Amino acid sequence: MMVAWFFATALAKQWDLAIPYIEQRSLAPWTHNKTIQKAIESYRITPEQKKYLRTLKIK
């Protein structure tokens, strides 16, 4: 959970540096999806970014 919070915060503060970890699926599947969930819940992520993150979820 701590790793997911870290990456969700990184997405909010430094999108360009953090998004490659999500796009390349560098994290474990649970952590990957939890990161996306926490980032989507954040008010610091734009609606466009949230829409894009939803497409990157691992099913």
Side-chain angles (χ1 to χ4, degrees):
M1 181 64 96
M2 183 177 71
V3 175
W5 274 108
F6 172 82
F7 277 99
T9 302
L11 286 168
K13 293 188 175 234
Q14 297 197 3
W15 175 268
D16 293 333
L17 295 175
I19 195 63
Y21 289 94
I22 304 300
E23 291 174 334
Q24 297 168 8
R25 298 184 177 197
S26 300
L27 306 172
W30 186 89
T31 306
H32 176 94
N33 285 337
K34 189 58 75 173
T35 296
I36 292 172
Q37 176 188 336
K38 293 299 173 192
I40 289 171
E41 292 171 358
S42 173
Y43 293 114
R44 298 179 291 178
I45 302 285
T46 67
E48 295 80 21
Q49 290 171 327
K50 290 178 183 183
K51 185 176 179 182
Y52 178 62
L53 285 172
R54 286 185 182 98
T55 68
L56 298 176
K57 278 199 137 186
I58 297 174
K59 300 204 176 5

Tab-separated table of all heavy atoms in Angstrom:
chain	number	residue	atom	x	y	z
A	1	MET	N	0.824	-1.184	0.000
A	1	MET	CA	0.000	0.000	0.000
A	1	MET	C	0.874	1.256	0.000
A	1	MET	O	0.550	2.231	-0.659
A	1	MET	CB	-0.921	-0.028	1.222
A	1	MET	CG	-1.840	1.171	1.292
A	1	MET	SD	-3.013	1.285	-0.049
A	1	MET	CE	-4.415	0.549	0.693
A	2	MET	N	1.987	1.214	0.734
A	2	MET	CA	2.872	2.377	0.789
A	2	MET	C	3.427	2.707	-0.599
A	2	MET	O	3.504	3.877	-0.975
A	2	MET	CB	4.017	2.121	1.770
A	2	MET	CG	4.928	3.320	1.933
A	2	MET	SD	6.233	3.060	3.141
A	2	MET	CE	7.265	1.898	2.290
A	3	VAL	N	3.769	1.685	-1.362
A	3	VAL	CA	4.302	1.910	-2.713
A	3	VAL	C	3.226	2.527	-3.598
A	3	VAL	O	3.499	3.442	-4.384
A	3	VAL	CB	4.834	0.587	-3.311
A	3	VAL	CG1	5.276	0.778	-4.740
A	3	VAL	CG2	5.978	0.043	-2.466
A	4	ALA	N	2.002	2.065	-3.458
A	4	ALA	CA	0.896	2.616	-4.244
A	4	ALA	C	0.672	4.091	-3.911
A	4	ALA	O	0.483	4.917	-4.815
A	4	ALA	CB	-0.380	1.810	-3.995
A	5	TRP	N	0.707	4.432	-2.621
A	5	TRP	CA	0.552	5.840	-2.223
A	5	TRP	C	1.696	6.678	-2.778
A	5	TRP	O	1.496	7.806	-3.218
A	5	TRP	CB	0.517	5.965	-0.702
A	5	TRP	CG	-0.846	5.763	-0.129
A	5	TRP	CD1	-1.278	4.682	0.576
A	5	TRP	CD2	-1.968	6.639	-0.218
A	5	TRP	NE1	-2.589	4.842	0.933
A	5	TRP	CE2	-3.038	6.033	0.464
A	5	TRP	CE3	-2.168	7.881	-0.812
A	5	TRP	CZ2	-4.283	6.640	0.563
A	5	TRP	CZ3	-3.414	8.473	-0.709
A	5	TRP	CH2	-4.451	7.846	-0.024
A	6	PHE	N	2.915	6.119	-2.734
A	6	PHE	CA	4.079	6.839	-3.250
A	6	PHE	C	3.890	7.180	-4.728
A	6	PHE	O	4.082	8.317	-5.152
A	6	PHE	CB	5.352	6.015	-3.054
A	6	PHE	CG	6.550	6.608	-3.738
A	6	PHE	CD1	7.274	7.627	-3.131
A	6	PHE	CD2	6.944	6.173	-4.990
A	6	PHE	CE1	8.372	8.194	-3.759
A	6	PHE	CE2	8.037	6.729	-5.628
A	6	PHE	CZ	8.756	7.739	-5.010
A	7	PHE	N	3.521	6.183	-5.520
A	7	PHE	CA	3.367	6.418	-6.957
A	7	PHE	C	2.151	7.292	-7.269
A	7	PHE	O	2.191	8.080	-8.218
A	7	PHE	CB	3.321	5.099	-7.727
A	7	PHE	CG	4.687	4.549	-8.004
A	7	PHE	CD1	5.228	3.554	-7.219
A	7	PHE	CD2	5.457	5.055	-9.038
A	7	PHE	CE1	6.494	3.063	-7.458
A	7	PHE	CE2	6.732	4.579	-9.289
A	7	PHE	CZ	7.252	3.577	-8.493
A	8	ALA	N	1.094	7.190	-6.499
A	8	ALA	CA	-0.061	8.069	-6.699
A	8	ALA	C	0.332	9.519	-6.439
A	8	ALA	O	-0.050	10.426	-7.191
A	8	ALA	CB	-1.210	7.647	-5.786
A	9	THR	N	1.118	9.740	-5.396
A	9	THR	CA	1.608	11.088	-5.109
A	9	THR	C	2.566	11.555	-6.193
A	9	THR	O	2.529	12.712	-6.621
A	9	THR	CB	2.292	11.126	-3.733
A	9	THR	OG1	1.351	10.690	-2.750
A	9	THR	CG2	2.778	12.518	-3.393
A	10	ALA	N	3.420	10.655	-6.650
A	10	ALA	CA	4.353	11.002	-7.725
A	10	ALA	C	3.598	11.381	-8.998
A	10	ALA	O	3.990	12.324	-9.689
A	10	ALA	CB	5.298	9.828	-7.999
A	11	LEU	N	2.519	10.676	-9.293
A	11	LEU	CA	1.709	11.028	-10.460
A	11	LEU	C	1.121	12.419	-10.314
A	11	LEU	O	1.039	13.176	-11.286
A	11	LEU	CB	0.594	10.001	-10.671
A	11	LEU	CG	1.023	8.654	-11.239
A	11	LEU	CD1	-0.108	7.641	-11.111
A	11	LEU	CD2	1.467	8.782	-12.684
A	12	ALA	N	0.716	12.771	-9.105
A	12	ALA	CA	0.120	14.087	-8.871
A	12	ALA	C	1.159	15.205	-8.955
A	12	ALA	O	0.864	16.288	-9.452
A	12	ALA	CB	-0.559	14.110	-7.508
A	13	LYS	N	2.354	14.944	-8.483
A	13	LYS	CA	3.360	16.001	-8.397
A	13	LYS	C	4.326	16.037	-9.571
A	13	LYS	O	4.779	17.114	-9.962
A	13	LYS	CB	4.140	15.856	-7.098
A	13	LYS	CG	3.278	16.136	-5.882
A	13	LYS	CD	4.113	16.182	-4.637
A	13	LYS	CE	3.237	16.578	-3.484
A	13	LYS	NZ	3.738	17.706	-2.763
A	14	GLN	N	4.674	14.858	-10.117
A	14	GLN	CA	5.627	14.799	-11.222
A	14	GLN	C	5.169	13.757	-12.239
A	14	GLN	O	5.793	12.707	-12.416
A	14	GLN	CB	7.027	14.472	-10.691
A	14	GLN	CG	7.543	15.538	-9.779
A	14	GLN	CD	9.036	15.448	-9.568
A	14	GLN	OE1	9.720	14.608	-10.141
A	14	GLN	NE2	9.548	16.335	-8.754
A	15	TRP	N	4.086	14.073	-12.893
A	15	TRP	CA	3.441	13.164	-13.837
A	15	TRP	C	4.415	12.581	-14.865
A	15	TRP	O	4.451	11.377	-15.073
A	15	TRP	CB	2.303	13.904	-14.534
A	15	TRP	CG	1.620	13.122	-15.609
A	15	TRP	CD1	1.922	13.109	-16.927
A	15	TRP	CD2	0.521	12.212	-15.449
A	15	TRP	NE1	1.078	12.266	-17.608
A	15	TRP	CE2	0.211	11.705	-16.721
A	15	TRP	CE3	-0.221	11.802	-14.353
A	15	TRP	CZ2	-0.817	10.792	-16.923
A	15	TRP	CZ3	-1.251	10.894	-14.563
A	15	TRP	CH2	-1.529	10.399	-15.830
A	16	ASP	N	5.205	13.433	-15.477
A	16	ASP	CA	6.090	12.986	-16.570
A	16	ASP	C	7.125	11.961	-16.119
A	16	ASP	O	7.525	11.100	-16.909
A	16	ASP	CB	6.789	14.179	-17.212
A	16	ASP	CG	5.816	15.095	-17.940
A	16	ASP	OD1	4.761	14.602	-18.385
A	16	ASP	OD2	6.109	16.295	-18.054
A	17	LEU	N	7.558	12.046	-14.887
A	17	LEU	CA	8.539	11.091	-14.375
A	17	LEU	C	7.898	9.805	-13.863
A	17	LEU	O	8.518	8.742	-13.894
A	17	LEU	CB	9.364	11.735	-13.254
A	17	LEU	CG	10.241	12.911	-13.658
A	17	LEU	CD1	10.903	13.520	-12.435
A	17	LEU	CD2	11.299	12.463	-14.661
A	18	ALA	N	6.672	9.876	-13.412
A	18	ALA	CA	6.018	8.717	-12.801
A	18	ALA	C	5.222	7.865	-13.778
A	18	ALA	O	5.141	6.644	-13.610
A	18	ALA	CB	5.111	9.177	-11.669
A	19	ILE	N	4.637	8.476	-14.791
A	19	ILE	CA	3.748	7.727	-15.688
A	19	ILE	C	4.442	6.583	-16.437
A	19	ILE	O	3.804	5.554	-16.687
A	19	ILE	CB	2.989	8.684	-16.657
A	19	ILE	CG1	1.813	7.966	-17.324
A	19	ILE	CG2	3.915	9.277	-17.699
A	19	ILE	CD1	0.738	7.504	-16.390
A	20	PRO	N	5.735	6.661	-16.768
A	20	PRO	CA	6.354	5.505	-17.429
A	20	PRO	C	6.297	4.218	-16.599
A	20	PRO	O	6.178	3.126	-17.156
A	20	PRO	CB	7.805	5.941	-17.649
A	20	PRO	CG	7.737	7.414	-17.724
A	20	PRO	CD	6.646	7.798	-16.751
A	21	TYR	N	6.343	4.321	-15.276
A	21	TYR	CA	6.243	3.124	-14.430
A	21	TYR	C	4.888	2.462	-14.580
A	21	TYR	O	4.777	1.236	-14.517
A	21	TYR	CB	6.475	3.484	-12.960
A	21	TYR	CG	7.907	3.842	-12.659
A	21	TYR	CD1	8.343	5.166	-12.671
A	21	TYR	CD2	8.843	2.853	-12.373
A	21	TYR	CE1	9.664	5.494	-12.398
A	21	TYR	CE2	10.164	3.166	-12.105
A	21	TYR	CZ	10.557	4.486	-12.120
A	21	TYR	OH	11.860	4.798	-11.863
A	22	ILE	N	3.864	3.262	-14.787
A	22	ILE	CA	2.520	2.713	-14.968
A	22	ILE	C	2.360	2.175	-16.388
A	22	ILE	O	1.843	1.079	-16.593
A	22	ILE	CB	1.448	3.793	-14.665
A	22	ILE	CG1	1.642	4.366	-13.267
A	22	ILE	CG2	0.046	3.248	-14.838
A	22	ILE	CD1	1.545	3.363	-12.141
A	23	GLU	N	2.814	2.932	-17.358
A	23	GLU	CA	2.681	2.511	-18.754
A	23	GLU	C	3.454	1.225	-19.045
A	23	GLU	O	3.001	0.390	-19.824
A	23	GLU	CB	3.175	3.627	-19.681
A	23	GLU	CG	2.292	4.842	-19.678
A	23	GLU	CD	2.859	5.999	-20.479
A	23	GLU	OE1	4.093	6.085	-20.645
A	23	GLU	OE2	2.055	6.828	-20.923
A	24	GLN	N	4.602	1.049	-18.418
A	24	GLN	CA	5.430	-0.137	-18.654
A	24	GLN	C	5.086	-1.285	-17.717
A	24	GLN	O	5.720	-2.344	-17.771
A	24	GLN	CB	6.905	0.233	-18.504
A	24	GLN	CG	7.368	1.237	-19.527
A	24	GLN	CD	8.730	1.817	-19.195
A	24	GLN	OE1	9.411	1.382	-18.271
A	24	GLN	NE2	9.134	2.819	-19.956
A	25	ARG	N	4.105	-1.063	-16.852
A	25	ARG	CA	3.663	-2.079	-15.891
A	25	ARG	C	4.827	-2.612	-15.064
A	25	ARG	O	5.015	-3.825	-14.922
A	25	ARG	CB	2.923	-3.208	-16.601
A	25	ARG	CG	1.669	-2.717	-17.278
A	25	ARG	CD	0.886	-3.819	-17.896
A	25	ARG	NE	-0.349	-3.270	-18.455
A	25	ARG	CZ	-1.379	-4.005	-18.781
A	25	ARG	NH1	-1.342	-5.300	-18.649
A	25	ARG	NH2	-2.457	-3.435	-19.267
A	26	SER	N	5.605	-1.693	-14.524
A	26	SER	CA	6.778	-2.042	-13.730
A	26	SER	C	6.424	-2.520	-12.318
A	26	SER	O	7.254	-3.126	-11.657
A	26	SER	CB	7.697	-0.828	-13.613
A	26	SER	OG	8.114	-0.399	-14.883
A	27	LEU	N	5.222	-2.234	-11.877
A	27	LEU	CA	4.799	-2.599	-10.522
A	27	LEU	C	4.041	-3.922	-10.537
A	27	LEU	O	3.546	-4.360	-11.580
A	27	LEU	CB	3.900	-1.489	-9.956
A	27	LEU	CG	4.472	-0.079	-9.970
A	27	LEU	CD1	3.401	0.929	-9.567
A	27	LEU	CD2	5.669	0.020	-9.060
A	28	ALA	N	3.921	-4.538	-9.369
A	28	ALA	CA	3.094	-5.740	-9.236
A	28	ALA	C	1.648	-5.368	-9.584
A	28	ALA	O	1.229	-4.227	-9.367
A	28	ALA	CB	3.176	-6.266	-7.811
A	29	PRO	N	0.882	-6.305	-10.125
A	29	PRO	CA	-0.490	-5.983	-10.560
A	29	PRO	C	-1.355	-5.322	-9.486
A	29	PRO	O	-2.051	-4.353	-9.767
A	29	PRO	CB	-1.063	-7.337	-10.985
A	29	PRO	CG	0.134	-8.115	-11.404
A	29	PRO	CD	1.243	-7.671	-10.483
A	30	TRP	N	-1.333	-5.827	-8.249
A	30	TRP	CA	-2.145	-5.227	-7.192
A	30	TRP	C	-1.701	-3.800	-6.924
A	30	TRP	O	-2.529	-2.891	-6.820
A	30	TRP	CB	-2.051	-6.059	-5.912
A	30	TRP	CG	-2.977	-5.551	-4.845
A	30	TRP	CD1	-4.272	-5.927	-4.654
A	30	TRP	CD2	-2.692	-4.549	-3.858
A	30	TRP	NE1	-4.808	-5.228	-3.597
A	30	TRP	CE2	-3.858	-4.366	-3.086
A	30	TRP	CE3	-1.575	-3.791	-3.550
A	30	TRP	CZ2	-3.928	-3.470	-2.037
A	30	TRP	CZ3	-1.645	-2.883	-2.503
A	30	TRP	CH2	-2.815	-2.735	-1.753
A	31	THR	N	-0.388	-3.587	-6.833
A	31	THR	CA	0.160	-2.255	-6.580
A	31	THR	C	-0.143	-1.322	-7.745
A	31	THR	O	-0.478	-0.155	-7.548
A	31	THR	CB	1.679	-2.332	-6.340
A	31	THR	OG1	1.927	-3.288	-5.300
A	31	THR	CG2	2.260	-0.994	-5.953
A	32	HIS	N	-0.037	-1.824	-8.943
A	32	HIS	CA	-0.327	-1.059	-10.155
A	32	HIS	C	-1.764	-0.531	-10.108
A	32	HIS	O	-1.997	0.674	-10.272
A	32	HIS	CB	-0.112	-1.971	-11.373
A	32	HIS	CG	-0.462	-1.366	-12.680
A	32	HIS	ND1	0.460	-0.748	-13.476
A	32	HIS	CD2	-1.634	-1.283	-13.343
A	32	HIS	CE1	-0.133	-0.310	-14.576
A	32	HIS	NE2	-1.404	-0.630	-14.514
A	33	ASN	N	-2.717	-1.426	-9.886
A	33	ASN	CA	-4.126	-1.032	-9.865
A	33	ASN	C	-4.453	-0.133	-8.676
A	33	ASN	O	-5.257	0.793	-8.794
A	33	ASN	CB	-5.029	-2.263	-9.873
A	33	ASN	CG	-5.078	-2.913	-11.231
A	33	ASN	OD1	-4.813	-2.287	-12.250
A	33	ASN	ND2	-5.390	-4.198	-11.264
A	34	LYS	N	-3.844	-0.389	-7.524
A	34	LYS	CA	-4.088	0.441	-6.348
A	34	LYS	C	-3.526	1.843	-6.566
A	34	LYS	O	-4.132	2.838	-6.159
A	34	LYS	CB	-3.482	-0.208	-5.108
A	34	LYS	CG	-3.863	0.454	-3.809
A	34	LYS	CD	-5.364	0.511	-3.574
A	34	LYS	CE	-5.937	-0.820	-3.182
A	34	LYS	NZ	-7.363	-0.729	-2.802
A	35	THR	N	-2.381	1.947	-7.227
A	35	THR	CA	-1.803	3.246	-7.565
A	35	THR	C	-2.777	4.038	-8.428
A	35	THR	O	-3.040	5.219	-8.174
A	35	THR	CB	-0.469	3.082	-8.307
A	35	THR	OG1	0.468	2.446	-7.435
A	35	THR	CG2	0.077	4.405	-8.784
A	36	ILE	N	-3.322	3.389	-9.442
A	36	ILE	CA	-4.278	4.047	-10.329
A	36	ILE	C	-5.521	4.466	-9.549
A	36	ILE	O	-6.011	5.588	-9.693
A	36	ILE	CB	-4.624	3.137	-11.523
A	36	ILE	CG1	-3.394	2.991	-12.424
A	36	ILE	CG2	-5.815	3.691	-12.302
A	36	ILE	CD1	-3.538	1.969	-13.518
A	37	GLN	N	-6.015	3.591	-8.689
A	37	GLN	CA	-7.199	3.918	-7.880
A	37	GLN	C	-6.950	5.147	-7.017
A	37	GLN	O	-7.771	6.068	-6.979
A	37	GLN	CB	-7.566	2.736	-6.993
A	37	GLN	CG	-8.725	3.023	-6.049
A	37	GLN	CD	-8.937	1.911	-5.044
A	37	GLN	OE1	-8.559	0.772	-5.276
A	37	GLN	NE2	-9.535	2.253	-3.927
A	38	LYS	N	-5.822	5.175	-6.326
A	38	LYS	CA	-5.516	6.303	-5.440
A	38	LYS	C	-5.289	7.588	-6.237
A	38	LYS	O	-5.687	8.671	-5.800
A	38	LYS	CB	-4.297	5.991	-4.574
A	38	LYS	CG	-4.541	4.885	-3.571
A	38	LYS	CD	-5.648	5.287	-2.637
A	38	LYS	CE	-6.057	4.171	-1.721
A	38	LYS	NZ	-7.303	4.476	-1.010
A	39	ALA	N	-4.668	7.490	-7.392
A	39	ALA	CA	-4.439	8.675	-8.222
A	39	ALA	C	-5.774	9.224	-8.734
A	39	ALA	O	-5.988	10.437	-8.753
A	39	ALA	CB	-3.513	8.334	-9.388
A	40	ILE	N	-6.679	8.340	-9.131
A	40	ILE	CA	-7.987	8.765	-9.622
A	40	ILE	C	-8.791	9.447	-8.515
A	40	ILE	O	-9.550	10.379	-8.771
A	40	ILE	CB	-8.744	7.565	-10.234
A	40	ILE	CG1	-8.087	7.170	-11.560
A	40	ILE	CG2	-10.213	7.872	-10.430
A	40	ILE	CD1	-8.599	5.879	-12.149
A	41	GLU	N	-8.607	9.015	-7.284
A	41	GLU	CA	-9.310	9.631	-6.150
A	41	GLU	C	-8.739	11.004	-5.785
A	41	GLU	O	-9.378	11.760	-5.070
A	41	GLU	CB	-9.233	8.718	-4.930
A	41	GLU	CG	-10.023	7.436	-5.082
A	41	GLU	CD	-9.767	6.447	-3.959
A	41	GLU	OE1	-8.934	6.729	-3.069
A	41	GLU	OE2	-10.392	5.386	-3.981
A	42	SER	N	-7.553	11.313	-6.275
A	42	SER	CA	-6.878	12.560	-5.922
A	42	SER	C	-7.487	13.744	-6.663
A	42	SER	O	-7.833	13.651	-7.839
A	42	SER	CB	-5.395	12.464	-6.267
A	42	SER	OG	-4.763	13.708	-6.093
A	43	TYR	N	-7.570	14.865	-5.974
A	43	TYR	CA	-8.036	16.101	-6.602
A	43	TYR	C	-6.923	16.775	-7.398
A	43	TYR	O	-7.180	17.718	-8.137
A	43	TYR	CB	-8.554	17.078	-5.534
A	43	TYR	CG	-9.804	16.591	-4.850
A	43	TYR	CD1	-9.791	16.259	-3.508
A	43	TYR	CD2	-11.002	16.462	-5.545
A	43	TYR	CE1	-10.946	15.814	-2.868
A	43	TYR	CE2	-12.150	16.020	-4.924
A	43	TYR	CZ	-12.119	15.690	-3.589
A	43	TYR	OH	-13.259	15.250	-2.974
A	44	ARG	N	-5.697	16.311	-7.228
A	44	ARG	CA	-4.548	16.928	-7.895
A	44	ARG	C	-4.305	16.371	-9.299
A	44	ARG	O	-3.456	16.865	-10.018
A	44	ARG	CB	-3.291	16.742	-7.047
A	44	ARG	CG	-3.415	17.421	-5.692
A	44	ARG	CD	-2.189	17.221	-4.860
A	44	ARG	NE	-2.078	15.825	-4.461
A	44	ARG	CZ	-1.083	15.316	-3.747
A	44	ARG	NH1	-0.094	16.082	-3.367
A	44	ARG	NH2	-1.071	14.050	-3.417
A	45	ILE	N	-5.058	15.362	-9.684
A	45	ILE	CA	-4.957	14.759	-11.008
A	45	ILE	C	-6.072	15.344	-11.873
A	45	ILE	O	-7.223	15.402	-11.448
A	45	ILE	CB	-5.093	13.221	-10.932
A	45	ILE	CG1	-4.030	12.608	-10.017
A	45	ILE	CG2	-5.072	12.581	-12.300
A	45	ILE	CD1	-2.656	12.553	-10.589
A	46	THR	N	-5.738	15.758	-13.086
A	46	THR	CA	-6.733	16.361	-13.970
A	46	THR	C	-7.716	15.298	-14.483
A	46	THR	O	-7.380	14.103	-14.529
A	46	THR	CB	-6.071	17.051	-15.176
A	46	THR	OG1	-5.464	16.044	-15.999
A	46	THR	CG2	-5.040	18.077	-14.737
A	47	PRO	N	-8.907	15.716	-14.900
A	47	PRO	CA	-9.863	14.751	-15.465
A	47	PRO	C	-9.302	13.991	-16.673
A	47	PRO	O	-9.588	12.804	-16.849
A	47	PRO	CB	-11.057	15.621	-15.862
A	47	PRO	CG	-10.988	16.788	-14.928
A	47	PRO	CD	-9.511	17.038	-14.731
A	48	GLU	N	-8.500	14.658	-17.490
A	48	GLU	CA	-7.904	13.986	-18.652
A	48	GLU	C	-6.920	12.903	-18.215
A	48	GLU	O	-6.875	11.815	-18.796
A	48	GLU	CB	-7.195	14.993	-19.564
A	48	GLU	CG	-8.108	16.005	-20.220
A	48	GLU	CD	-8.495	17.155	-19.294
A	48	GLU	OE1	-7.785	17.411	-18.294
A	48	GLU	OE2	-9.534	17.783	-19.564
A	49	GLN	N	-6.137	13.208	-17.192
A	49	GLN	CA	-5.188	12.228	-16.670
A	49	GLN	C	-5.928	11.046	-16.048
A	49	GLN	O	-5.526	9.888	-16.229
A	49	GLN	CB	-4.266	12.879	-15.633
A	49	GLN	CG	-3.286	13.856	-16.229
A	49	GLN	CD	-2.535	14.650	-15.176
A	49	GLN	OE1	-3.075	14.950	-14.113
A	49	GLN	NE2	-1.298	15.002	-15.481
A	50	LYS	N	-7.013	11.312	-15.340
A	50	LYS	CA	-7.803	10.240	-14.737
A	50	LYS	C	-8.374	9.320	-15.808
A	50	LYS	O	-8.351	8.093	-15.665
A	50	LYS	CB	-8.936	10.818	-13.894
A	50	LYS	CG	-8.451	11.493	-12.634
A	50	LYS	CD	-9.592	12.098	-11.852
A	50	LYS	CE	-9.065	12.821	-10.626
A	50	LYS	NZ	-10.125	13.372	-9.795
A	51	LYS	N	-8.873	9.911	-16.880
A	51	LYS	CA	-9.422	9.119	-17.985
A	51	LYS	C	-8.346	8.221	-18.583
A	51	LYS	O	-8.587	7.040	-18.851
A	51	LYS	CB	-9.995	10.062	-19.044
A	51	LYS	CG	-10.686	9.370	-20.172
A	51	LYS	CD	-11.308	10.371	-21.142
A	51	LYS	CE	-11.974	9.669	-22.284
A	51	LYS	NZ	-12.543	10.605	-23.255
A	52	TYR	N	-7.141	8.768	-18.770
A	52	TYR	CA	-6.035	7.992	-19.320
A	52	TYR	C	-5.619	6.871	-18.352
A	52	TYR	O	-5.396	5.735	-18.783
A	52	TYR	CB	-4.840	8.905	-19.617
A	52	TYR	CG	-3.641	8.158	-20.133
A	52	TYR	CD1	-3.697	7.444	-21.321
A	52	TYR	CD2	-2.446	8.159	-19.432
A	52	TYR	CE1	-2.601	6.751	-21.800
A	52	TYR	CE2	-1.342	7.472	-19.902
A	52	TYR	CZ	-1.429	6.768	-21.082
A	52	TYR	OH	-0.335	6.079	-21.543
A	53	LEU	N	-5.549	7.171	-17.072
A	53	LEU	CA	-5.160	6.154	-16.087
A	53	LEU	C	-6.139	4.985	-16.078
A	53	LEU	O	-5.723	3.833	-15.916
A	53	LEU	CB	-5.071	6.777	-14.690
A	53	LEU	CG	-3.849	7.639	-14.417
A	53	LEU	CD1	-3.991	8.336	-13.067
A	53	LEU	CD2	-2.576	6.809	-14.448
A	54	ARG	N	-7.413	5.278	-16.255
A	54	ARG	CA	-8.410	4.199	-16.280
A	54	ARG	C	-8.137	3.194	-17.404
A	54	ARG	O	-8.449	2.012	-17.268
A	54	ARG	CB	-9.817	4.771	-16.411
A	54	ARG	CG	-10.323	5.405	-15.142
A	54	ARG	CD	-11.784	5.859	-15.261
A	54	ARG	NE	-12.194	6.504	-14.033
A	54	ARG	CZ	-12.215	7.825	-13.860
A	54	ARG	NH1	-11.876	8.644	-14.841
A	54	ARG	NH2	-12.586	8.338	-12.705
A	55	THR	N	-7.554	3.659	-18.493
A	55	THR	CA	-7.253	2.753	-19.612
A	55	THR	C	-6.051	1.856	-19.318
A	55	THR	O	-5.835	0.871	-20.019
A	55	THR	CB	-6.978	3.530	-20.912
A	55	THR	OG1	-5.758	4.262	-20.782
A	55	THR	CG2	-8.116	4.477	-21.254
A	56	LEU	N	-5.282	2.183	-18.293
A	56	LEU	CA	-4.055	1.439	-17.985
A	56	LEU	C	-4.243	0.374	-16.896
A	56	LEU	O	-3.284	-0.314	-16.554
A	56	LEU	CB	-2.960	2.417	-17.549
A	56	LEU	CG	-2.527	3.443	-18.585
A	56	LEU	CD1	-1.519	4.402	-17.989
A	56	LEU	CD2	-1.955	2.766	-19.815
A	57	LYS	N	-5.462	0.228	-16.381
A	57	LYS	CA	-5.698	-0.772	-15.329
A	57	LYS	C	-5.450	-2.180	-15.860
A	57	LYS	O	-5.743	-2.482	-17.023
A	57	LYS	CB	-7.125	-0.679	-14.810
A	57	LYS	CG	-7.296	0.414	-13.790
A	57	LYS	CD	-8.543	0.186	-12.993
A	57	LYS	CE	-8.173	0.483	-11.563
A	57	LYS	NZ	-9.203	0.179	-10.641
A	58	ILE	N	-4.912	-3.016	-15.013
A	58	ILE	CA	-4.712	-4.431	-15.349
A	58	ILE	C	-5.974	-5.173	-14.956
A	58	ILE	O	-6.434	-5.072	-13.827
A	58	ILE	CB	-3.495	-4.994	-14.602
A	58	ILE	CG1	-2.220	-4.291	-15.032
A	58	ILE	CG2	-3.381	-6.496	-14.839
A	58	ILE	CD1	-0.988	-4.670	-14.248
A	59	LYS	N	-6.504	-5.934	-15.877
A	59	LYS	CA	-7.746	-6.668	-15.611
A	59	LYS	C	-7.479	-8.041	-15.044
A	59	LYS	O	-6.502	-8.641	-15.178
A	59	LYS	CB	-8.550	-6.766	-16.887
A	59	LYS	CG	-8.885	-5.383	-17.405
A	59	LYS	CD	-10.090	-5.395	-18.277
A	59	LYS	CE	-10.570	-4.095	-18.758
A	59	LYS	NZ	-10.024	-2.881	-18.596
